[in-house]
Amino acid sequence: MKGLVLAGGKGTRLRPLTYTSAKQLVPVANKPVLFYALEAIVAAGITEIGIIVGDTREEIKAAVGDGSRFGAEITYIPQEAPLGLAHAVLIAEPFLGDSPFVMYLGDNLIAGGITSLVDEYRELGVNCEILLAEVPNPQQFGVAELAADGRVVRLVEKPREPRSNLALVGVYMFDARIFESVKRIKPSPRGELEITDAIQDLIDRGLSVHPHTVRGWWKDTGKLEDMLEANRIVLEKLEPAREGEASADSRIEGRVTLGKGARLSGSVVR
């Protein structure tokens, strides 16, 4: 199984932060949000990873390198313009080949990683698995409508009148059947090849699409308020560490991590 990480967006909704940095490199708890995605994929046993890159490709390459720091082998796949998630799948076909793959949006965070989800996908043997989360503002996301028996009936991208509050989370699992679906769909009114349309085509062709509703927290950090909330959540869950040195006249209060090599003298840290 391979990984595909999307890191080609410009991050206009995160300005002014993204005037000087790619949105996938904005830090959450002092670590670029993209690194969480790469670590989650590797933790699931996937080490061949393609990264879709756009205008900020040099920044992404400089930060990630060849992937060895994550225990992965990275292939960079340039996208000439942000033409949609399904377009990213299409241009990644030479890299992905016949392998099933997990697609992870590089500015998303999911509690607990994706190892159990990848295991579930492998065990079920379905053509596609999508992650869903209940949200108060579904009109801002791709939305799934489920039948009474839990089957996925319909997917719509940013509907004006959502038929449910189940939003697509930015992690998907596919087999190679998705490539045919991407080639069958047409650009949406906003000029993009929508992944929701491609998954709908899988459904229309009678292929298996399994929904998994996420019960833990999930954050799309594409907006400033969501980035701040992600920082708060991650920092709250960090276990304090005392790897550095603190003198007798120093005081450490609260959930503080003192990194290896750090030295405190006559200080109060909160």
Side-chain angles (χ1 to χ4, degrees), residues 88-202:
V89 171
L90 185 63
I91 64 173
E93 184 177 7
F95 164 74
L96 295 166
D98 294 329
S99 175
F101 64 98
V102 55
M103 182 170 81
Y104 200 126
L105 305 193
D107 56 358
N108 274 232
L109 285 171
I110 299 177
I114 63 169
T115 300
S116 62
L117 302 168
V118 171
D119 290 343
E120 179 181 68
Y121 170 74
R122 286 170 166 154
E123 291 169 6
L124 291 172
V126 293
N127 300 110
C128 168
E129 179 164 342
I130 58 174
L131 274 57
L132 305 175
E134 296 180 354
V135 298
N137 53 340
Q139 65 276 7
Q140 296 181 17
F141 300 91
V143 173
E145 181 183 346
L146 305 184
D149 61 2
R151 290 180 299 108
V152 184
V153 176
R154 190 165 176 255
L155 296 168
V156 181
E157 185 66 28
K158 297 182 175 63
R160 291 184 179 180
E161 298 181 5
R163 300 285 292 271
S164 84
N165 68 340
L166 293 172
L168 283 161
V169 173
V171 177
Y172 312 77
M173 280 151 276
F174 299 107
D175 66 12
R177 304 296 288 272
I178 190 64
F179 298 121
E180 182 180 349
S181 288
V182 171
K183 293 169 186 176
R184 286 162 53 96
I185 64 174
K186 303 296 182 185
S188 66
R190 61 179 185 162
E192 297 188 5
L193 290 176
E194 309 287 359
I195 198 65
T196 44
D197 291 342
I199 299 171
Q200 184 66 50
D201 184 78
L202 290 175

Side-chain angles (χ1 to χ4, degrees), residues 20-48:
T20 56
S21 175
K23 71 173 181 176
Q24 297 85 7
L25 298 181
V26 174
V28 170
N30 207 35
K31 181 165 64 176
V33 64
L34 175 62
F35 288 13
Y36 290 92
L38 296 173
E39 291 169 355
I41 292 171
V42 172
I46 300 167
T47 57
E48 291 184 70

Side-chain angles (χ1 to χ4, degrees), residues 57-95:
R57 68 191 67 182
E58 296 307 321
E59 292 176 63
I60 300 293
K61 288 180 179 180
V64 176
D66 63 1
S68 56
R69 65 183 294 182
F70 303 98
E73 180 181 337
I74 301 295
T75 298
Y76 293 97
I77 304 167
Q79 186 180 35
E80 69 273 15
L83 299 175
L85 303 187
H87 179 263
V89 171
L90 185 63
I91 64 173
E93 184 177 7
F95 164 74

